[in-house]
Amino acid sequence: MDGRNARDDWWRHAVVYQIYPRSFADANGDGVGDVAGIRAKLPHLAALGVDAIWISPWYPSPMVDAGYDVSDYRDIEPVFGTLAEADALVAEAHAAGIKVIIDIVPNHTSDQHALFRAALAAGPGSPERELYIFREGSGSSGELPPNDWQSNFGGPAWTRVADGQWYLHLFAPGQPDVDWRHPGVRAEFEQTLRFWFDRGVDGFRIDVAHGMAKDWELPDLDGLEFPLPEDAEHDHPHWDQPGVHEIFREWRRVADEYRPSRAFCGEIWVGRAHRLAAYLRPDELHTAFNFDFLMAPWLPGELRRVIDATIASHAAVSAPPTWVLGNHDVCRPVSRYARDQHGLDPMARNLVHYQGRPADLALGGRRARAAALLMFALPGGAYVYQGEELGLPEAEDIPAEALQDPVWFQSGGTDKGRDGCRVPLPWTAAGESFGFSPDGAAAPWLPQPSDWAPFAADAQDGVPGSTLELYRAALKLRRELGELGDGSLEWLDGGENVLAFARGADADGVRFQCWTNLGSEPVGLPAGEVLLASGALDADRKLPSDTTVWLRG
Ligand code: GLC
């Protein structure tokens, strides 16, 4: 095992690869990815050089939100496989030096979870209902929702049940929110943490970690927008409530009982650096996704501002920054960066924010490669969403009748949602489904674009300059060079369109340097050995636009 990965603080530098199991690899031929598929592709992940994998929910689920509606947190969805296969995967990943992080969904369960079914059956006023957020409606006969909260997917956040009460769901109606004040809820999730920690799982990604506590007066939003302004003095009624921190202190105590150290990564959309850092105090979560980096446009000033704010806010709580360009909820970076980057909505992350802007995918691809090398050189840890290492673009033309994301349905067909980044991966240029499933299998659960052969893993394997080989080389260097990963950086002066920084000790005057040119003109580079570049340098050794280079100089 790699030296740093064997250490107790492995999470401070880790490159974590996100597996979306439905779309990663299908071994049994039903058109949906599975645990056997992940096991078969472990050599790909080991050759890529990642430190850990994070597996999106693989639990039994009615799949109204692709598995983020969990009906049993302590088993495996039969479509994906069995608990025995999951155990085997964890053992095999560990043998390959790869940590395993799984996804916990604590803000809500499925409406098919035994606890919600019991709550429905027991009726109003019962102890069973207290684990969820049931209320009487407003209006003269309770015919209106209890308040004006909206589902994240569109429409009201409340659904009425047959006996007349309403229950809260910040996401789909099939995802009822639980009441985290209830000791039964706390005990249930603690048991789930221990169940998987005891099986050797190395950590959890925490779904909607900023949503678990609510203002229990359940006040109307009255048009309150989120994220709140940087200097807001009031809280939002259901996002980033102060009460959430107590829950994570409890969870940290559980994680700290285990050796080697187990780690948490929070999915926290708060849009304010100091509020994000509050989750990373030493007795709370280890890490959190830095979505500000993901949402920053490909513009030097914006990126520099986000990098500086991230480093400063994380340093204040001694937490390592993390960097992320994509996941299963956002438009793929190649397609985001393919668009004009000026004047975007500050929360621009989904396809809906970019449609209508012409796309230059070759440009987007160049920028995404440059962004990846920039990300891997920054201090802390990094996330890679499956397919980024292949340079996959968003699938923007999925026919309406094939779309599955609840966003599409709850938005009344106005927002195509997230299916475009969830299309099954192309493994081979030849073959049906580009090798996602065995030949002769059922069609993939989402259709793949017909022109994806050049992106296939086998089409890039061993090909100098391919995105796959770039990622492999970057992660290999990251393991070899002690300067990369956790630590600090020193900015260098490369001009206003360049992000340039050095890492590591300066004793002999030779340091690791990362230079990214975000301008339209080539820029001169300092002397030194070129370690890796996201694209060819000019003949006179200048750094072309939208290119990153790693140097020793
Ligand atoms: C998170 C997940 C997303 C899911 C939502 C509700 O944001 O990443 O996929 O729809 O939570 O669980």
Side-chain angles (χ1 to χ4, degrees):
M1 183 184 283
D2 171 70
R4 289 192 297 191
N5 229 10
R7 283 173 21 186
D8 228 28
D9 64 354
W10 59 273
W11 44 273
R12 293 191 72 92
H13 74 270
V15 174
V16 182
Y17 182 95
Q18 180 188 357
I19 293 178
Y20 195 68
R22 299 183 70 76
S23 307
F24 187 66
D26 167 26
N28 71 359
D30 62 359
V32 179
D34 43 40
V35 178
I38 302 174
R39 290 172 69 190
K41 298 298 183 193
L42 278 175
H44 170 81
L45 299 169
L48 186 56
V50 298
D51 299 299
I53 51 177
W54 147 35
I55 304 170
S56 279
W58 56 0
Y59 315 105
S61 165
M63 301 284 166
V64 302
D65 186 19
Y68 282 91
D69 48 320
V70 180
S71 53
D72 179 355
Y73 291 80
R74 294 175 219 131
D75 204 349
I76 296 291
E77 161 63 38
V79 168
F80 295 151
T82 64
L83 205 46
E85 287 178 286
D87 287 339
L89 168 60
V90 172
E92 289 161 6
H94 285 170
I98 298 173
K99 303 271 188 191
V100 180
I101 296 169
I102 60 173
D103 212 314
I104 192 162
V105 187
N107 179 69
H108 45 262
T109 68
S110 162
D111 63 353
Q112 297 307 307
H113 193 282
L115 292 174
F116 190 76
R117 292 163 70 109
L120 269 190
S126 62
E128 288 85 348
R129 286 225 167 163
E130 290 172 7
L131 274 70
Y132 291 86
I133 305 170
F134 280 90
R135 292 292 183 277
E136 300 302 327
S138 59
S140 54
S141 54
E143 76 284 9
L144 297 173
N147 69 17
D148 68 357
W149 295 5
Q150 295 294 299
S151 158
N152 228 34
F153 295 156
W158 296 91
T159 289
R160 198 172 197 193
V161 300
D163 55 51
Q165 281 203 318
W166 298 74
Y167 68 89
L168 178 72
H169 52 86
L170 290 179
F171 293 88
Q175 295 169 297
D177 285 45
V178 298
D179 186 337
W180 267 93
R181 292 172 303 178
H182 198 292
V185 168
R186 292 186 181 225
E188 178 71 23
F189 279 96
E190 180 174 331
Q191 214 182 321
T192 294
L193 295 179
R194 291 184 187 281
F195 177 87
W196 291 105
F197 284 157
D198 289 344
R199 301 187 99 82
V201 158
D202 300 285
F204 284 93
R205 177 262 188 189
I206 305 169
D207 190 62
V208 198
H210 59 305
M212 292 152 71
K214 317 289 194 273
D215 175 340
W216 294 108
E217 302 289 319
L218 305 183
D220 277 337
L221 289 171
D222 283 330
L224 184 66
E225 300 271 344
F226 194 80
L228 300 172
E230 191 66 41
D231 56 355
E233 284 176 6
H234 54 280
D235 288 316
H236 186 278
H238 63 70
W239 297 132
D240 192 28
Q241 275 278 312
V244 79
H245 296 285
E246 181 48 37
I247 303 168
F248 294 135
R249 285 191 199 104
E250 274 178 33
W251 283 26
R252 181 62 179 252
R253 287 195 285 273
V254 175
D256 283 349
E257 289 175 27
Y258 287 82
R259 285 289 172 277
S261 169
R262 309 301 205 255
F264 294 119
C265 179
E267 187 213 15
I268 302 167
W269 297 90
V270 290
R272 290 192 286 170
H274 72 284
R275 295 289 287 223
L276 181 69
Y279 290 77
L280 304 177
R281 290 173 286 196
D283 59 348
E284 295 194 38
L285 304 181
H286 303 72
T287 57
F289 295 99
N290 172 16
F291 294 122
D292 292 348
F293 184 66
L294 181 153
M295 291 186 290
W298 185 249
L299 298 172
E302 285 296 296
L303 275 169
R304 171 76 191 257
R305 189 187 59 71
V306 166
I307 293 168
D308 281 337
T310 301
I311 291 174
S313 61
H314 285 65
V317 289
S318 305
T322 67
W323 310 97
V324 59
L325 293 169
N327 65 30
H328 64 291
D329 291 328
V330 304
C331 179
R332 285 193 176 272
V334 167
S335 303
R336 291 201 314 268
Y337 294 146
R339 268 65 187 212
D340 179 12
Q341 299 292 291
H342 295 88
L344 287 166
D345 177 325
M347 293 293 278
R349 57 184 199 251
N350 298 117
L351 185 57
V352 72
H353 295 113
Y354 296 90
Q355 274 174 334
R357 290 181 178 230
D360 176 344
L361 290 176
L363 175 68
R366 265 202 317 280
R367 289 175 169 172
R369 290 160 56 101
L373 281 203
L374 167 64
M375 166 170 92
F376 292 136
L378 287 168
Y383 285 82
V384 175
Y385 175 50
Q386 64 180 38
E388 278 170 19
E389 80 280 22
L390 305 177
L392 279 190
E394 182 89 352
E396 298 191 27
D397 295 329
I398 301 175
E401 61 277 10
L403 291 171
Q404 313 242 354
D405 187 353
V407 170
W408 169 248
F409 302 102
Q410 286 186 229
S411 71
T414 57
D415 183 343
K416 281 185 135 180
R418 304 160 295 177
D419 288 329
C421 65
R422 299 175 174 180
V423 171
L425 291 190
W427 291 98
T428 57
E432 298 163 20
S433 74
F434 300 117
F436 169 68
S437 304
D439 278 355
W445 72 282
L446 283 173
Q448 298 163 302
S450 55
D451 59 355
W452 268 15
F455 295 108
D458 76 343
Q460 301 191 41
D461 183 31
V463 176
S466 71
T467 301
L468 179 58
E469 291 301 339
L470 177 73
Y471 269 68
R472 286 175 177 165
L475 296 185
K476 183 163 184 283
L477 277 169
R478 202 180 137 104
R479 284 183 171 220
E480 288 167 2
L481 300 174
E483 300 97 318
L484 297 188
D486 197 17
S488 57
L489 62 68
E490 185 194 325
W491 288 109
L492 305 172
D493 184 10
E496 63 173 351
N497 291 321
V498 173
L499 295 177
F501 55 87
R503 304 278 323 261
D506 203 3
D508 52 4
V510 178
R511 295 183 293 172
F512 172 89
Q513 297 185 28
C514 178
W515 286 63
T516 302
N517 181 5
L518 292 105
S520 51
E521 297 301 320
V523 296
L525 288 170
E529 177 199 356
V530 171
L531 301 172
L532 190 62
S534 66
L537 300 187
D538 286 354
D540 56 359
R541 201 177 171 275
K542 283 194 164 163
L543 181 65
S545 78
D546 298 314
T547 307
T548 295
V549 66
W550 288 3
L551 298 169
R552 184 169 283 291

